[in-house]
Amino acid sequence: MIRVTVVTAFAGHVDERAIELIDGATLGDALVAFDINNVSAADLGVWGKSVPLDTALKNGDRIELYRPLIADPKLARHRRANDQGYRWQGRTRRAAKA
């Protein structure tokens, strides 16, 4: 038997549960055992890496279900920096010469 952890994080709530599977179980088998349906391979991973559903799991693996992004991280960071008064190089106004 192997023991894996399934982690979900939706709407500010993190749920982490451990399940036991038979040796040689795959990621797809873990989803069936955890009763998770309608999940594409792009929405989950093992230890932060996207892997196919037929990937064999090892004892201690951490299966993560990812929520969809609601904002582009790069754009959100840029907006926060602007709100905090950060001046981007090459974008500052120079005083007009008299």
Side-chain angles (χ1 to χ4, degrees):
M1 296 294 284
I2 62 171
R3 187 177 179 98
V4 298
T5 304
V6 179
V7 180
T8 58
F10 295 106
H13 175 67
V14 177
D15 185 26
E16 184 173 339
R17 289 192 241 170
I19 58 174
E20 289 189 1
L21 302 167
I22 60 171
D23 288 334
T26 65
L27 181 55
D29 297 333
L31 295 179
V32 170
F34 200 68
D35 196 27
I36 298 173
N37 301 318
N38 300 326
V39 176
S40 72
D43 297 335
L44 56 95
V46 176
W47 289 112
K49 293 186 179 183
S50 183
V51 294
L53 293 175
D54 62 351
T55 300
L57 296 173
K58 298 180 293 266
N59 192 38
D61 275 347
R62 175 185 169 109
I63 301 167
E64 302 163 343
L65 277 74
Y66 308 122
R67 63 180 178 222
L69 293 177
I70 57 174
D72 177 13
K74 187 175 180 180
L75 185 58
R77 180 177 177 272
H78 190 91
R79 285 185 185 147
R80 280 193 311 274
N82 281 339
D83 291 344
Q84 294 172 2
Y86 182 81
R87 300 179 123 192
W88 300 98
Q89 289 183 349
R91 304 235 177 171
T92 59
R93 291 187 176 183
R94 296 183 181 193
K97 293 185 180 181

